[in-house]
Amino acid sequence: MSFHLILFLAFGAVCVAGAVNLLTQRHPINSALSLIAVMGALAGEYLLLGAEFVAAVQVIVYAGAIMVLFVFVIMLLNAGVEEQTRGSRTALVLGVPGMLTGGVLMAWVVLRQSGTRAVPIDALPGSPRDIAQLLFHDFLLPFEVTSVLILIAIMGAVVLASKPDSPPGRID
Amino acid sequence: MVPLSYYLLLSAFLFSCGVVGFLIKRNIITIFMSIELMLNGVNLSFVAFAAHWHALAGQVFVFFVMVVAAAEAAVGLAIIIAVYRTRETLNVDQVNLLKL
C-alpha cells in the first residue's frame, strides 16, 4: 500500500465521516462544522490530485468565506434543533433506500472502469501560472460573465436582506 | 497509486449524502448545506478527471462552480433571512403557501 493511497484513504475517511455526521446531526451548527471538516479534507484530496491552487481556493473561499456566511446566518436567526415531522419521516423511509440503490448502481458502473495513475506529490501540474493562463485567456468570457453574476448576486442579497419598509441603501 | 474510480466513488458518495440530506432535512439552512455538499462532490469529480486526462480546464471549471456556489449561498441566505422575518420559522414544512 503506497503512501499516496494511505493519504487518500485518510482524507477520504474524514470526508465520509463528515458527510454522514452532517446527515445525523440535528442542530444546524453541528452540520455546518462537519461540512467545514468535509471541505478541509477535500482540499487535501485536491492536493493529492496535483491541484494546489484549487486546494488553496477551496480552503479560503469554501471553508472560509461561504461557511462563515452559513455560520453567521445560523447565529443571526438563532436556529435551534429541527423537529421531526411526518413529511421528513416519509422521505427517510423512501429516500434512503432509493439513494442506496442508486449509489450501488453508480459504484458498480464506476468500478468497472478503473486504472489511472496518481500524480507524484512533488510534481504539481495545477500551478497558478497555468491556471491563470487558461482563466484569463481561453476562459476570459465566462470569467467576465461570472464577475457580472456575482455582482448581481451581491446586489440581490443586499436588497433581499434589507428591511422591507426601508428602501435599500438608506441608513436610518 | 490511487485509481480514478476511487476518487469518483468518493465523489458519488458525497453527492449521494447531499441528496439524502436535501430530502430528509427539514431545516432550510441544513438543506442549503446539503446543496453545498453536492457541489463539492461534483468538484472532486472535476479535479479527478482533470488529473486523469491532463486537462487543466477541469480545474478552471471548479472555480466557476465555486463562484456560482458563492452567489447561490449569498442570495439563498438572504432569502432565508427574508422568509424568517415574515414567517418566524426555518422549518420548510411550515412554508407551504403554494401547497394545495
Side-chain angles (χ1 to χ4, degrees):
Chain A
M1 186 184 270
S2 67
F3 180 57
H4 221 109
L5 188 57
I6 293 171
L7 278 179
F8 170 83
L9 289 178
F11 285 129
V14 175
C15 274
V16 169
V20 171
N21 195 36
L22 188 148
L23 296 181
T24 52
Q25 290 290 339
R26 309 220 53 108
H27 201 285
I29 195 77
N30 296 339
S31 298
L33 291 179
S34 49
L35 187 55
I36 292 174
V38 171
M39 285 168 176
L42 270 180
E45 300 279 10
Y46 294 158
L47 271 183
L48 289 183
L49 282 164
E52 47 168 359
F53 192 58
V54 176
V57 170
Q58 167 89 3
V59 171
I60 295 170
V61 174
Y62 245 131
I66 296 182
M67 288 319 291
V68 163
L69 203 61
F70 272 93
V71 173
F72 186 75
V73 168
I74 292 171
M75 182 200 74
L76 187 71
L77 300 184
N78 198 12
V81 178
E82 64 174 348
E83 61 258 42
Q84 195 84 293
T85 51
R86 199 171 53 82
S88 69
R89 235 169 272 130
T90 312
L92 196 66
V93 168
L94 287 180
V96 173
M99 276 317 296
L100 277 179
T101 317
V104 169
L105 269 178
M106 208 151 40
W108 180 68
V109 170
V110 163
L111 281 180
R112 280 172 63 207
Q113 315 277 337
S114 66
T116 175
R117 44 172 204 77
V119 183
I121 290 180
D122 52 347
L124 296 170
S127 73
R129 176 190 292 271
D130 301 336
I131 298 261
Q133 182 71 32
L134 262 180
L135 194 58
F136 296 121
H137 190 266
D138 294 3
F139 290 93
L140 185 61
L141 181 65
F143 177 77
E144 295 293 339
V145 170
T146 50
S147 68
V148 174
L149 169 77
I150 208 151
L151 180 67
I152 295 171
I154 291 167
M155 290 192 293
V158 170
V159 170
L160 281 170
S162 60
K163 280 255 167 61
D165 49 347
S166 72
R170 202 181 74 198
I171 300 163
D172 297 322
Chain B
M1 298 295 106
V2 185
L4 173 70
S5 52
Y6 287 13
Y7 287 106
L8 294 185
L9 271 185
L10 181 60
S11 156
F13 180 81
L14 290 180
F15 190 88
S16 305
C17 274
V19 174
V20 170
F22 187 87
L23 289 176
I24 69 173
K25 287 294 179 180
R26 292 297 102 186
N27 190 312
I28 192 164
I29 298 176
T30 321
I31 288 176
F32 248 78
M33 286 192 277
S34 306
I35 296 175
E36 298 292 329
L37 191 63
M38 282 193 259
L39 288 171
N40 268 289
V42 174
N43 277 350
L44 182 61
S45 277
F46 267 127
V47 178
F49 276 121
H52 185 221
W53 298 109
H54 302 283
L56 219 50
Q59 298 189 13
V60 176
F61 266 73
V62 172
F63 294 121
F64 291 137
V65 171
M66 280 183 188
V67 170
V68 172
E72 171 240 341
V75 176
L77 290 172
I79 291 175
I80 289 174
I81 290 175
V83 166
Y84 187 78
R85 196 175 282 144
T86 54
R87 308 194 74 99
E88 302 269 313
T89 181
L90 288 173
N91 192 336
V92 286
D93 285 337
Q94 292 171 23
V95 188
N96 53 3
L97 206 59
L98 283 175
K99 223 173 179 176
L100 279 175

